[in-house]
Amino acid sequence: MTVPLEVLGVAPARALQEMVLDRYGDYVVVFDADTDTLPVFTAQGQWVGLADNPDTITTLIDIHERVNGGDA
């Protein structure tokens, strides 16, 4: 038995307005206006780490690739 769902309204998009996802090859970086640190993930969703600022993103990715044999 399935129960139909009623849509009451559109979900607020506040988070989308203040957060931006950016691709760095096989990596995704989350830019959030509310924090200075930048979460970095692989495109498959594996946690890479927190970059202290935009200048340290590539260093974090390089370390991740060295530790994991270059596979994202």
Side-chain angles (χ1 to χ4, degrees):
M1 178 177 159
T2 60
V3 177
L5 296 176
E6 179 183 351
V7 177
L8 300 176
V10 179
R14 178 182 175 271
L16 295 176
Q17 293 173 355
E18 296 173 2
M19 290 176 27
V20 175
L21 300 178
D22 196 5
R23 289 289 299 258
Y24 283 73
D26 292 331
Y27 296 86
V28 177
V29 180
V30 180
F31 290 87
D32 186 350
D34 293 333
T35 182
D36 293 331
T37 57
L38 306 161
V40 180
F41 299 87
T42 65
Q44 293 79 28
Q46 178 187 11
W47 173 251
V48 174
L50 278 176
D52 293 329
N53 59 60
D55 295 332
T56 60
I57 293 169
T58 54
T59 303
L60 186 62
I61 290 172
D62 289 342
I63 292 169
H64 183 265
E65 288 186 349
R66 277 186 271 149
V67 169
N68 293 291
D71 295 327

PDB file of all heavy atoms in Angstrom, residues 1-6:
ATOM      1  N   MET A   1       0.839  -1.178   0.000  1.00  0.00           N
ATOM      2  CA  MET A   1       0.000   0.000   0.000  1.00  0.00           C
ATOM      3  C   MET A   1       0.885   1.243   0.000  1.00  0.00           C
ATOM      4  O   MET A   1       1.761   1.398   0.817  1.00  0.00           O
ATOM      5  CB  MET A   1      -0.893  -0.008   1.240  1.00  0.00           C
ATOM      6  CG  MET A   1      -1.757   1.176   1.365  1.00  0.00           C
ATOM      7  SD  MET A   1      -2.824   0.995   2.807  1.00  0.00           S
ATOM      8  CE  MET A   1      -3.216   2.661   3.066  1.00  0.00           C
ATOM      9  N   THR A   2       0.660   2.105  -0.933  1.00  0.00           N
ATOM     10  CA  THR A   2       1.402   3.362  -0.975  1.00  0.00           C
ATOM     11  C   THR A   2       0.497   4.502  -0.561  1.00  0.00           C
ATOM     12  O   THR A   2      -0.685   4.523  -0.852  1.00  0.00           O
ATOM     13  CB  THR A   2       1.951   3.636  -2.390  1.00  0.00           C
ATOM     14  OG1 THR A   2       0.860   3.703  -3.290  1.00  0.00           O
ATOM     15  CG2 THR A   2       2.907   2.545  -2.832  1.00  0.00           C
ATOM     16  N   VAL A   3       1.093   5.445   0.125  1.00  0.00           N
ATOM     17  CA  VAL A   3       0.363   6.614   0.587  1.00  0.00           C
ATOM     18  C   VAL A   3       0.877   7.816  -0.196  1.00  0.00           C
ATOM     19  O   VAL A   3       2.072   8.091  -0.197  1.00  0.00           O
ATOM     20  CB  VAL A   3       0.587   6.834   2.095  1.00  0.00           C
ATOM     21  CG1 VAL A   3      -0.111   8.091   2.571  1.00  0.00           C
ATOM     22  CG2 VAL A   3       0.133   5.616   2.877  1.00  0.00           C
ATOM     23  N   PRO A   4       0.021   8.542  -0.890  1.00  0.00           N
ATOM     24  CA  PRO A   4       0.488   9.718  -1.636  1.00  0.00           C
ATOM     25  C   PRO A   4       0.932  10.821  -0.681  1.00  0.00           C
ATOM     26  O   PRO A   4       0.361  11.012   0.386  1.00  0.00           O
ATOM     27  CB  PRO A   4      -0.732  10.141  -2.449  1.00  0.00           C
ATOM     28  CG  PRO A   4      -1.901   9.531  -1.762  1.00  0.00           C
ATOM     29  CD  PRO A   4      -1.401   8.307  -1.047  1.00  0.00           C
ATOM     30  N   LEU A   5       1.974  11.536  -1.079  1.00  0.00           N
ATOM     31  CA  LEU A   5       2.471  12.653  -0.288  1.00  0.00           C
ATOM     32  C   LEU A   5       1.946  13.959  -0.863  1.00  0.00           C
ATOM     33  O   LEU A   5       1.864  14.129  -2.071  1.00  0.00           O
ATOM     34  CB  LEU A   5       3.999  12.682  -0.304  1.00  0.00           C
ATOM     35  CG  LEU A   5       4.704  11.493   0.335  1.00  0.00           C
ATOM     36  CD1 LEU A   5       6.201  11.632   0.157  1.00  0.00           C
ATOM     37  CD2 LEU A   5       4.352  11.400   1.799  1.00  0.00           C
ATOM     38  N   GLU A   6       1.616  14.853   0.021  1.00  0.00           N
ATOM     39  CA  GLU A   6       1.155  16.168  -0.407  1.00  0.00           C
ATOM     40  C   GLU A   6       2.279  17.180  -0.214  1.00  0.00           C
ATOM     41  O   GLU A   6       2.862  17.283   0.864  1.00  0.00           O
ATOM     42  CB  GLU A   6      -0.050  16.593   0.437  1.00  0.00           C
ATOM     43  CG  GLU A   6      -0.574  17.963   0.080  1.00  0.00           C
ATOM     44  CD  GLU A   6      -1.724  18.396   0.987  1.00  0.00           C
ATOM     45  OE1 GLU A   6      -2.229  17.580   1.776  1.00  0.00           O
ATOM     46  OE2 GLU A   6      -2.087  19.567   0.895  1.00  0.00           O
TER      47      GLU A   6
END
